[in-house]
Structures are given as structure tokens and as C-alpha cells.
Amino acid sequence: MTIQEVGSGDTRKRPIKLGGALITLVEPHEGHQVAYNRWYERDHFYAGCMIGAWTIAGTRYVATRTEKAKRYPATSSFAPDTAKGSYLALYWILAGKFGDWIRWGTDQVNWLHDNDRMFPHRDHVHTLMYKFAREQHATEDGVPTEMALDHRYPGLAMVVFELAEGVTPDAVAAWSEARPLPADQLVAFTPIPLLADAPSDVPRDEARDRYVHLYFLEEDAVAVWDDHFAGLGDEFAAAGLGQVVFASPFRATVPGTDTYTDELW
């Protein structure tokens, strides 16, 4: 059976395509981490995102103190404190419907605020919408990008670049493609500002010169960090492309459990 003979369509055409993502990095207040984890995965993960039309997939990752010890730089405009930002949630949105979803998501979270369905004992480190830019795969017929979140990769590396003046995402893409890919796949994004009526507890980040790489790993991110990611920021700067303002390994959460809530700090 060839790839195009699966079902009645040609799967190489990819009728379901990634258009953008919600990337949200949040820190629960110490002493409230278990309650936060349960609220998020048993209520907000669904009510705030997954029930929306055009949501392809969603998943969560966590940075324990082990992952946070590998973060760099020590401080930046993106993340002033590397100890903050324990939970990372990712949501994939269908291409062609991203604008509709952003409007729905803003209205939905405002409704959740109005109906006392939010959790006060947590802070947003970074929450923003991102437009899909490109993908890179270790193998030609690997896990499709649209299925990356459902694949439940055990490790993830998130790297946020701040581009030097005049540097374009295409230049970053060329630099990235010239390097050995240290992951099963890489998905890259550019930022989109929040709508004006987005909830006030979400910090406004108007930086337009950022470029985000999500490296999906089939292994523990910390185990390969020193070999493949620790020096990436220096390489990027040496190439004259800009600087890394956030680099962190993450591990997949274990849905339905409180696993890792006692290892955040």
C-alpha cells in the first residue's frame, strides 16, 4: 500500500493544515500548584480552548526544577525570572480559521472570567497567539506537524529568538536548515498581538521581532540539552542573527494526575 492509497484521498495533500497556535506559559503560586493543575486540565484546557471550533489539538508540558536549571539566559525581556513559567500549554488552530478562533478565544475567556471560572492563584509569564511559519522534520515521512501534539512527545525544547535589526524569518530558517536537526521535528512561529479586549491579567507583549522554535523530542529534553541546545544561543548570536531571549526544556505532563506538582521549585 502506498501513501496515496490510504483511504480515498491523497494524504500528501494535507487537507488539515496548521495555521497558528496559542502558546501560554504560566506559573502557579506556590502552595496552589495542585489546585491549579487540576483546574487547568479538568476545566480550562477544555473550556478555554479545546471546545472551540477549529481547534486541531492541544497538550501541556511542565518544567520542573530540573528543567529550569537548564534555562537561559538568566533574565530577558521575555522571561525576567527563569524560575517562573512551570506550565506550558500549546494549542494548534486550523489554517484559514485562525482569525475566527482568536476572536472566539478572546470572547470565551472573557465569559469564563465573568462566570467565575478562572483561577486567581497563578501568573501569566507569556501568553500569545502565533502564526505558523515553517516546519522541519528529521525524516521525510515522520509524524505530521498537525499531529505533533497528539503524538505526545515526551520532551520539548522551546527557544525564543529576538531578531537583530534587518534580519528576517527567512534568514533564521536558512540558518536552522543548515544545522543538524536536534529533534524529531521543529515547528516555527511568528507572534500576533492580543486583541484589545483580551483579559487584563494577560500581559501585553507587543514585540514583533520574535521567532519561536518548538523542538519536539522522542527523548527526555534534559538528557540531550547540553549536546544540542545549550550552545544554540551562542551560535545564533555568532551568526549575527540576534539573540535567544528564552530557551527551556520541558517534559510532558501526565494528564489526570498531580505528577510533577511537587517538583516545580
Side-chain angles (χ1 to χ4, degrees), residues 136-139 142-143 151 153 181-186 215-219:
Q136 193 174 334
H137 295 264
T139 58
V143 177
H151 186 68
Y153 284 97
L181 180 63
D184 187 62
Q185 65 174 292
L186 158 64
Y215 296 89
F216 290 92
L217 305 163
E218 291 284 16
E219 60 268 295

Side-chain angles (χ1 to χ4, degrees), residues 70-111:
K70 296 291 186 179
R71 285 179 171 175
Y72 67 87
T75 185
S76 74
S77 57
F78 183 90
D81 183 353
T82 55
K84 306 295 184 182
S86 295
Y87 285 98
L88 176 69
L90 305 172
Y91 302 92
W92 276 184
I93 313 302
L94 185 69
K97 297 295 183 179
F98 195 31
D100 294 338
W101 194 94
I102 293 173
R103 180 67 270 169
W104 172 84
T106 301
D107 292 341
Q108 178 69 2
V109 174
N110 282 330
W111 183 88

Side-chain angles (χ1 to χ4, degrees), residues 133-134 136 163 166-178 188 190 210-211 213 236 241:
R134 56 179 287 271
Q136 193 174 334
L163 309 188
V167 172
T168 66
D170 286 344
V172 181
W175 169 81
S176 176
E177 290 170 359
T190 55
R210 296 231 178 99
Y211 198 64
H213 279 186
F236 191 74
L241 297 172

Side-chain angles (χ1 to χ4, degrees), residues 126-146:
H126 181 81
T127 296
L128 202 60
M129 306 302 304
Y130 282 88
K131 183 179 179 180
F132 170 69
R134 56 179 287 271
E135 61 190 277
Q136 193 174 334
H137 295 264
T139 58
E140 183 178 355
D141 190 31
V143 177
T145 293
E146 289 73 22

Side-chain angles (χ1 to χ4, degrees), residues 200-217:
S200 59
D201 64 325
V202 180
R204 270 35 180 183
D205 190 336
E206 302 298 332
R208 304 294 185 92
D209 56 350
R210 296 231 178 99
Y211 198 64
V212 174
H213 279 186
L214 297 178
Y215 296 89
F216 290 92
L217 305 163

Side-chain angles (χ1 to χ4, degrees), residues 62-71 82-83 86 222 251 260-265:
V62 61
T64 69
R65 54 181 172 266
T66 301
E67 282 77 28
K68 290 174 184 175
K70 296 291 186 179
R71 285 179 171 175
T82 55
S86 295
V222 169
R251 67 178 70 184
Y260 305 127
T261 55
D262 61 343
E263 300 179 38
L264 303 184
W265 307 286

